[in-house]
Amino acid sequence: MQRRQRLTESRRFAEIHREGISAANRLLVLRTLRNGLGHSRFGFVVSKRIGNAVTRNLVKRRLREAIRHNDIKDGWDAVFIARRGTANADYMQLKQAANNLLRRAKLFQTRPFHDQ
């Protein structure tokens, strides 16, 4: 994932949480909000409930990789929030959960390539 696609400002996270549209499944919650930019940005929230630092970082790396291969519409900010159970999920389960939420939020340019 490119640096310009990363959402890092806590103020923007709070704004997305307050005003954004939400979708959820068993593993993840997705909150989205338009950003008015020529590209989309993504943030990840993995709380200490999920596990230790190694586990939390593993979940974030897997999520970044899962969305890196998708063709996402420009002009959106999206925050993925990990739910309990993500630490036990493998890469394909997280990818399918993320793709499911992106599809429901209508953020795909086209149909996802590796969706199953």
Side-chain angles (χ1 to χ4, degrees), residues 4-48:
R4 72 182 187 124
Q5 291 179 303
R6 291 188 184 179
L7 189 60
T8 57
E9 304 162 355
S10 61
R11 205 171 343 132
R12 186 61 179 166
F13 271 88
E15 186 178 356
I16 294 167
H17 183 71
R18 192 174 51 249
E19 300 173 17
I21 298 167
S22 180
N25 59 29
R26 185 176 61 84
L27 294 175
L28 300 169
V29 176
L30 174 67
R31 297 194 66 90
T32 59
L33 188 63
R34 284 201 174 276
N35 67 14
L37 300 173
H39 59 280
S40 290
R41 301 181 298 184
F42 299 91
F44 304 92
V45 177
V46 184
S47 76
K48 288 186 178 181

Side-chain angles (χ1 to χ4, degrees), residues 89-106:
D90 63 12
Y91 171 73
M92 286 308 295
Q93 291 171 321
L94 285 176
K95 182 176 180 167
Q96 289 173 352
N99 285 351
N100 171 271
L101 293 177
L102 290 167
R103 184 183 314 104
R104 287 172 47 196
K106 297 180 172 78

